[in-house]
Amino acid sequence: MRLARYIEGGQVAIEEAPMPVCPSGGLLIKTEASGLCSGELMAWYMDQKAPHVLGHEVCGRVVESQDDRFSVGARVAPHHHAPCLRCNFCLAKQFVHCALWKSTRLEPGGMAEYFAIGPDLLLDCHLANDLEACDAALVEPVACVMKSRRRARWRPNDRTAVIGLGVMGLIHLLSCPGAIGFEKNSERIARGIALGFEVRSDESGSGEFDLIFMCPGSQDVLDLALSLAAPGARILQFAPMPGAHLDLNAIYFRDLELIQSYSCGPDDTTQAIREIRLAQVIAKDVVSDFIKLSDLPQAYQDMKAGKILKPMVIFD
Ligand SMILES: [Zn+2]
Ligand SMILES: [Zn+2]
C-alpha cells in the first residue's frame, strides 16, 4: 500500500509500505478520507518526529474487526489517541495528559491507504455510517474546537472575536454563531464573507470583545487579542506560540483571563460528531481542495505557503 511520510526539512514523500496487521482486539481500516492538519505544517514540531507518517483526521471502512461493536464494512471515525479513564488526569477529565492517551496512535498513520487501531483506541472511535466520509474525517479538528469553545466558556451573548481564518478559525466561526473574524489574507476574508460571517481586515474594535480566540500562534495575534479585549475578557490560546512575549501587567490590570486549549478528548469528539450531524460544520465549508494521495506533497507546500486553505485526501 502507499502512504505519505514527512521527512525532516519540510518535505513529504509518497512511499510503498507493508500493510498494517489488525491488532488483537482492534480494527484494520481502509482509509476513505484524511485531512491535512495545520499542526502538521509546523516544521519545528514535525522535525522532532521525522520521519513521520502524516495524517490523523481520518475516516474509513472496517475491513477486519476483532470487536463486535464494529462490523466489517462499517464507516468509522477514530481519534488517534484515547485515554485510560482511570488515572488522575482522566478522573479530572484532563484526558490529553493521560499516559495511555499519549502512547496510543494510528498504525502507521492516517495518510495511508490502510491503517490499524488497537483496542485502546476503540474507546474514542465513532460509527459514522450516516455521514459522508469527508465530513466524518472532520471529527478530530472539530473536536479540538469543541474543547476550545468549552474551555473558553463561550456563551451566545459573548461579544466574540476569532483571530485568523485558516481552517481552525473558520471552524470556530461556524461553532460560535455571532462571532466576528479578523483576517488579513484576502482569499480567507472572501471565504469567511461567503459563509455569511462579518470579517474585519483592520484592527478595529479595540476593547470591544468579551472572548477572543487566537487561532494561529504569533506575537501579532497575541497583541491584537490584547487590544480587542474588553476588561474582564477571556483570551483563548488555540495553538503553540513559540517565542511570543506577554507582559503580565497587561492582563493583570484589566482582569483578563488567558486560557489554553490543546488537542481534545472523547467528550469533545462526541460533541463534534453531534455538530457535524447537525451540519453545523461540513467539509465543503472548510476544505478547499479534495485531492489524491499522490497530490499531497504539492498540496502540503501550498497549504504551508497559505495558497490553499486545507486539502483532504480522498482515497479510491
Ligand atoms: Zn488535527
Ligand atoms: Zn488516563
Side-chain angles (χ1 to χ4, degrees), residues 137-209:
L138 291 178
V139 167
E140 194 270 346
V142 173
C144 291
V145 175
M146 295 298 104
K147 177 174 172 178
S148 167
R149 189 177 73 171
R150 175 170 59 77
R151 284 181 62 89
R153 309 190 307 280
W154 173 79
R155 293 169 306 223
N157 58 343
D158 281 330
R159 296 169 298 172
T160 302
V162 174
I163 303 177
L165 299 190
V167 62
M168 301 313 286
L170 275 183
I171 298 175
H172 275 87
L173 281 183
L174 290 162
S175 305
C176 301
I180 295 172
F182 286 80
E183 174 59 61
K184 299 227 185 280
N185 174 307
S186 55
E187 279 174 40
R188 292 180 176 192
I189 292 170
R191 183 176 274 263
I193 291 171
L195 288 172
F197 300 114
E198 178 179 345
V199 183
R200 297 185 189 170
S201 58
D202 56 13
E203 304 192 346
S204 60
S206 172
E208 281 180 12
F209 291 91

Side-chain angles (χ1 to χ4, degrees), residues 30-78:
K30 183 177 193 306
T31 316
E32 293 185 284
S34 184
L36 182 61
C37 175
S38 35
E40 294 178 305
L41 305 176
M42 298 184 294
W44 63 271
Y45 178 69
M46 294 300 290
D47 282 349
Q48 298 166 7
K49 303 191 187 192
H52 173 77
V53 178
L54 288 167
H56 56 258
E57 302 177 356
V58 282
C59 162
R61 286 214 187 263
V62 177
V63 291
E64 191 180 335
S65 173
Q66 298 198 18
D67 187 296
D68 292 344
R69 292 170 296 171
F70 302 92
S71 51
V72 169
R75 177 170 283 158
V76 290

Side-chain angles (χ1 to χ4, degrees), residues 121-137:
L121 280 181
L122 299 183
L123 174 87
D124 199 357
C125 179
H126 292 267
L127 284 167
N129 290 318
D130 58 323
L131 295 177
E132 299 287 336
C134 56
D135 295 330

Side-chain angles (χ1 to χ4, degrees), residues 258-281:
L258 183 61
I259 304 166
Q260 280 72 22
S261 184
Y262 160 61
S263 195
C264 58
D267 43 357
D268 305 306
T269 60
T270 301
Q271 181 66 28
I273 199 159
R274 210 175 282 150
E275 301 258 328
I276 293 168
R277 288 200 167 106
L278 294 171
Q280 193 76 19
V281 184

Side-chain angles (χ1 to χ4, degrees), residues 246-268:
L246 172 65
D247 173 7
L248 289 175
N249 282 352
I251 63 174
Y252 175 80
F253 285 109
R254 290 193 285 154
D255 279 335
L256 302 182
E257 236 184 296
L258 183 61
I259 304 166
Q260 280 72 22
S261 184
Y262 160 61
S263 195
C264 58
D267 43 357
D268 305 306

